[in-house]
Amino acid sequence: MISSHQAQCLLAAAQDKAKLLNVPVNIAVLDGAAHLKAFVRMDGAVLGSIDVAMKKATTAALFQTTSESVWEYCKPGAPAPALEISNGGLAPFAGGLPLKGARGELLGAIGVSGGAVSQDLEIAQAAVAALSD
Amino acid sequence: MISSHQAQCLLAAAQDKAKLLNVPVNIAVLDGAAHLKAFVRMDGAVLGSIDVAMKKATTAALFQTTSESVWEYCKPGAPAPALEISNGGLAPFAGGLPLKGARGELLGAIGVSGGAVSQDLEIAQAAVAALSD
Amino acid sequence: MISSHQAQCLLAAAQDKAKLLNVPVNIAVLDGAAHLKAFVRMDGAVLGSIDVAMKKATTAALFQTTSESVWEYCKPGAPAPALEISNGGLAPFAGGLPLKGARGELLGAIGVSGGAVSQDLEIAQAAVAALSD
Amino acid sequence: MISSHQAQCLLAAAQDKAKLLNVPVNIAVLDGAAHLKAFVRMDGAVLGSIDVAMKKATTAALFQTTSESVWEYCKPGAPAPALEISNGGLAPFAGGLPLKGARGELLGAIGVSGGAVSQDLEIAQAAVAALSD
């Protein structure tokens, strides 16, 4: 499972990237069972993104994949319509990433929301890269 | 109503099929009133599929039909948009099957989730076939 | 974390004890993060006890103690009134037990409901004893 | 409103105090509108206390007082029975404190849970003291 030290490392790297991009975001870090481990709302981040950051991270943790991957299952014409309303509501778009350990085991997940979806993803990726350093 | 013996028979047959397919799944068995009768999460099944298995079985029990049949009512252009958000959230895609008795009466329902949608359906069908043996 | 094999062992031992006591119960087994692993409703168990069995197990998993221990914190005059309404509702009375591994680590929890509270506890204890055999 | 800098100061002081007391806790910091600003779950803190820390902080923010003060309104014989089930559930016991600015304006609230109630309060007080330094 993810440690407090790892969670703080993720939050720090994500905030550094967000400042570079000049976009305030919400950042949620969950453990591998989708329980909240750490969270930060940067000054100026919109309130509506608190829940979105949580749901992106939850989506990544519960399905052990990127949040946007879940959309491949439930988008129009895909085999699992309405999958997004399961589990209290998923966020099947980019910005949620699973966190894997050295042997591929699930450590947890991170979810970022507040910027453009592409920025949210970039910030989450910067955090994950910092974790594996 | 479904008996404990029947529920265990369903869970055993579903797990046998899932092992053959090499895909760990969650399996929920409900009675005809959509109350939980038995449940198993196989080792390695993703956490996000617990709720999906429950919702597939609930969908099948509440509407006395296959879970994917409900999509015919609420898909784009169909007469009942948003039906899928009723009843605490349905799962209108394959893997949920109603269980019928010898005279067609509703005994309960089974829901399977964790593999590809087609695998989930195959596993549910194997369980239903075992029940009627 | 608890395995499917261990969960089935718990359910079997609990049902054996319940049959000896001649009282049909609901039995829920959770993992250490309070996610459902396995469940059985014995024939004749009252519907209202499904949720109670789940909540007893959740209480034991989330607080890593017996479900009734939580009442010591929130009973009249105790320091944490209304603790029982946290976490979606706890069941702070006997019948929920944490499951510990050989080194004291949390494996999961079991919750039993449907009989007298003392019977529920006795059944849960029989299951835990079987697990450690 | 509370800033990210202030929130981090609160989390750091709370964790320092918790380490001194040798008790791992969950710490939630909300803004004055009861929206989450920052959160940390220390390694080893029980999962059941995540929600309790949130509810203590929510209680303090929504009523602009200490979380335990709310109990004076809803305890047996007091004029507002069941107040604790309003607002999605309050936690009317110690560990939640409002955060006030220099002119007495509400900045936010902190909630701590995971130790004995008296420890949780002590940790929250240490955080508030650090904020006003």
Side-chain angles (χ1 to χ4, degrees):
Chain A
M1 280 291 170
I2 196 164
S3 69
S4 277
H5 177 75
Q6 290 172 311
Q8 293 311 310
C9 166
L10 287 159
L11 291 181
Q15 289 179 88
D16 284 349
K17 187 67 174 185
K19 284 170 188 166
L20 266 176
L21 295 175
N22 201 27
V23 54
V25 294
N26 293 276
I27 310 155
V29 177
L30 309 186
D31 65 24
H35 291 292
L36 190 62
K37 183 67 183 171
F39 176 87
V40 161
R41 169 158 51 102
M42 293 172 69
D43 294 334
V46 294
L47 293 177
S49 287
I50 299 171
D51 186 50
V52 177
M54 297 275 201
K55 282 184 163 53
K56 284 182 181 177
T58 300
T59 302
L62 290 179
F63 292 96
Q64 304 192 16
T65 184
T66 67
S67 51
E68 68 269 31
S69 297
V70 172
W71 186 237
E72 297 305 309
Y73 294 95
C74 53
K75 67 184 178 184
L83 176 61
E84 72 273 16
I85 61 171
S86 72
N87 292 287
L90 302 174
F93 49 101
L97 294 174
L99 305 166
K100 300 286 179 71
R103 289 154 300 157
E105 77 279 15
L106 187 70
L107 295 176
I110 185 170
V112 176
S113 182
V117 170
S118 60
Q119 292 174 313
D120 294 343
L121 174 58
E122 202 175 342
I123 294 165
Q125 287 171 331
V128 173
L131 186 66
S132 55
D133 280 350
Chain B
M1 281 291 172
I2 195 165
S3 69
S4 275
H5 177 74
Q6 290 172 310
Q8 293 312 310
C9 165
L10 286 158
L11 290 181
Q15 289 180 88
D16 284 349
K17 187 67 175 184
K19 284 170 188 166
L20 266 177
L21 295 175
N22 200 28
V23 55
V25 293
N26 292 276
I27 311 155
V29 177
L30 309 186
D31 65 22
H35 292 292
L36 190 62
K37 183 66 182 171
F39 176 87
V40 161
R41 170 159 51 103
M42 293 172 69
D43 293 334
V46 294
L47 294 176
S49 287
I50 299 172
D51 186 52
V52 177
M54 298 275 200
K55 282 183 161 51
K56 284 181 180 177
T58 301
T59 302
L62 291 178
F63 293 95
Q64 304 193 15
T65 182
T66 66
S67 50
E68 69 268 32
S69 297
V70 171
W71 185 238
E72 297 306 309
Y73 295 95
C74 53
K75 67 182 180 185
L83 176 63
E84 73 273 16
I85 60 172
S86 70
N87 293 287
L90 303 175
F93 48 101
L97 294 174
L99 306 166
K100 302 286 179 69
R103 287 153 303 154
E105 77 279 17
L106 187 70
L107 296 176
I110 186 170
V112 176
S113 182
V117 171
S118 60
Q119 292 174 314
D120 293 343
L121 174 59
E122 202 175 343
I123 293 166
Q125 287 171 333
V128 173
L131 186 66
S132 55
D133 279 350
Chain C
M1 279 293 168
I2 197 165
S3 68
S4 276
H5 177 74
Q6 289 172 311
Q8 293 311 311
C9 165
L10 286 158
L11 291 181
Q15 290 180 86
D16 284 348
K17 187 67 174 183
K19 283 170 187 165
L20 266 176
L21 296 175
N22 200 28
V23 54
V25 293
N26 292 276
I27 311 156
V29 177
L30 309 186
D31 65 25
H35 291 292
L36 189 64
K37 183 68 183 168
F39 176 87
V40 161
R41 171 158 51 101
M42 293 172 69
D43 293 334
V46 294
L47 293 177
S49 287
I50 299 172
D51 186 51
V52 177
M54 298 276 200
K55 281 185 163 52
K56 284 181 181 178
T58 299
T59 302
L62 290 179
F63 292 96
Q64 303 192 14
T65 184
T66 67
S67 50
E68 68 269 30
S69 297
V70 171
W71 186 236
E72 296 305 309
Y73 295 94
C74 54
K75 67 184 179 185
L83 176 61
E84 72 274 14
I85 61 170
S86 71
N87 293 288
L90 302 174
F93 49 100
L97 293 175
L99 306 167
K100 302 285 180 73
R103 289 153 302 158
E105 78 279 16
L106 187 69
L107 295 177
I110 186 171
V112 175
S113 182
V117 170
S118 60
Q119 292 174 315
D120 294 343
L121 174 59
E122 200 175 345
I123 293 166
Q125 287 172 331
V128 173
L131 185 65
S132 54
D133 279 349
Chain D
M1 279 293 170
I2 196 165
S3 68
S4 276
H5 177 74
Q6 289 172 311
Q8 293 311 311
C9 167
L10 286 157
L11 291 182
Q15 289 179 88
D16 283 349
K17 187 67 175 183
K19 284 170 188 167
L20 266 176
L21 296 174
N22 200 27
V23 54
V25 294
N26 293 276
I27 311 156
V29 176
L30 308 186
D31 65 23
H35 292 293
L36 189 63
K37 182 67 182 169
F39 176 87
V40 162
R41 170 159 50 103
M42 293 172 69
D43 293 333
V46 294
L47 294 176
S49 287
I50 299 171
D51 186 52
V52 177
M54 297 276 199
K55 282 184 162 51
K56 285 182 180 177
T58 300
T59 302
L62 291 178
F63 293 95
Q64 304 192 14
T65 184
T66 66
S67 50
E68 68 269 30
S69 297
V70 171
W71 185 238
E72 297 307 310
Y73 295 94
C74 53
K75 67 183 178 185
L83 177 61
E84 73 274 14
I85 60 171
S86 70
N87 294 286
L90 302 174
F93 49 100
L97 294 174
L99 306 167
K100 301 287 180 71
R103 289 154 301 157
E105 78 278 16
L106 186 70
L107 296 176
I110 186 170
V112 176
S113 183
V117 171
S118 60
Q119 292 174 314
D120 294 342
L121 174 59
E122 202 176 342
I123 293 165
Q125 288 171 331
V128 173
L131 187 66
S132 56
D133 280 350

